[in-house]
Structures are given as C-alpha cells and as structure tokens.
Amino acid sequence: MNLDKYFENTLTDAERTANETVMEFIKVYNKWAKDCHNFVKADRNKLDEIAKVDSEQRKILQTIYNKYCTSKNRQYHRSPIGYFFYGGTYNTSSEMVNSINLTKNKIEIQTAKIKNIATSKKYTVIRQGQIWKIDTVESLEGNSKWKFDIL
C-alpha cells in the first residue's frame, strides 16, 4: 500500500475547514478500508498480516488518524484492535446535511444517510491551533437517538 495515494488531492492541514476535514477523512478512510478489504479478499491468510501491530496497513491508518483526528486514547477503535472493514466511518456518506457551530472552536457536522447501507453520522470537530480535527463521531439509530460510534 502506498501512503501517498490516500492523500492525493487533499488540502494541507491549515487550509482545511471543519467541513473539509470531515469530508476528506471519510474519503481517505474509505479508500484505505476498501484497499484492506480487497487485500484480504484476494487471500484470506493476509488478515493475519494486516492485524500485526507493525503492519503497513496499521501504519497508514495511524497516519490517517494523526492527520484528521484529535490525539486521544481510542482504546476500542480500529487502530489498536485491527477491526478494519465495517461499522464506524466505513461506507459513510460524504454528503454533508447539517453543520452547527457549537463554539468558535467546535462544530458538529452531520452526514447524509445512505439507504440500506449506512446511517447518518454526526462528527464533532474541534480546532487545535489553526487545524480542525475530528474528536468524536455518533450514529443516528432507528429510534432517532444519537449513539457513540468508532471512527
């Protein structure tokens, strides 16, 4: 896997708005997840290779998190446990339907639902210095309540 291909046509950190941060993260993450899926689909034995702590795929994922997400212990997220393909951000729509400024340095961004594929997501994005980073994500459940989700 080539790290550069994930960041083609992306903005520099300082140039990205909060909305662009979410949209870029979704696109970059989905490109990475699909590559991992195809890598394993071609040979199921490669799942063990991906799951290794020092695998190239994990290093790329960590680079994606470092670029787009706040630095925090994401103990139950994909990076430490190797859960790559489904849930969370995977297959999320990159169409923004709502953006709410909570404070001057904190914004909530909601993405569209993809019928029968993915629920609507709500990303909380915070500004750290001049850079917008995703802090949390929630999914809209069938009962119209937001529930914490993994990035």
Side-chain angles (χ1 to χ4, degrees):
M1 290 187 162
N2 175 6
L3 179 63
D4 294 336
K5 78 177 187 175
Y6 298 103
F7 300 108
E8 289 176 341
N9 303 318
T10 61
L11 299 170
T12 65
D13 291 345
E15 291 177 314
R16 276 193 325 268
T17 65
N19 295 343
E20 290 166 333
T21 297
V22 171
M23 298 305 116
E24 274 190 18
F25 173 73
I26 291 169
K27 288 176 185 172
V28 168
Y29 178 85
N30 279 307
K31 187 185 287 188
W32 171 85
K34 286 176 184 169
D35 281 353
C36 287
H37 176 77
N38 291 333
F39 182 73
V40 172
K41 187 177 178 183
D43 180 356
R44 291 292 291 165
N45 294 324
K46 292 188 176 186
L47 184 59
D48 292 336
E49 182 181 327
I50 287 177
K52 290 180 183 173
V53 174
D54 62 345
S55 74
E56 183 179 1
Q57 292 81 3
R58 279 185 184 247
K59 290 176 184 174
I60 291 170
L61 178 60
Q62 192 58 55
T63 301
I64 292 168
Y65 277 153
N66 290 345
K67 182 172 180 71
Y68 295 104
C69 304
T70 58
S71 178
K72 61 174 20 174
N73 180 7
R74 299 185 192 281
Q75 184 175 350
Y76 299 105
H77 290 234
R78 286 173 183 79
S79 177
I81 63 171
Y83 176 74
F84 300 119
F85 313 123
Y86 307 108
T89 301
Y90 183 69
N91 262 348
T92 297
S93 170
S94 60
E95 178 187 344
M96 186 186 76
V97 295
N98 195 13
S99 179
I100 301 169
N101 292 338
L102 302 174
T103 68
K104 79 175 195 171
N105 291 321
K106 189 175 189 177
I107 297 175
E108 281 183 353
I109 298 168
Q110 185 179 342
T111 61
K113 174 183 178 177
I114 303 175
K115 188 175 182 178
N116 299 326
I117 295 177
T119 64
S120 180
K121 303 287 184 188
K122 181 170 63 175
Y123 293 85
T124 302
V125 186
I126 60 174
R127 187 185 345 231
Q128 294 182 329
Q130 297 301 313
I131 301 170
W132 288 98
K133 295 218 174 187
I134 300 167
D135 193 47
T136 62
V137 64
E138 297 175 82
S139 293
L140 187 60
E141 296 199 321
N143 60 3
S144 298
K145 294 191 180 194
W146 292 101
K147 179 183 175 191
F148 170 80
D149 205 346
I150 57 178
L151 284 169

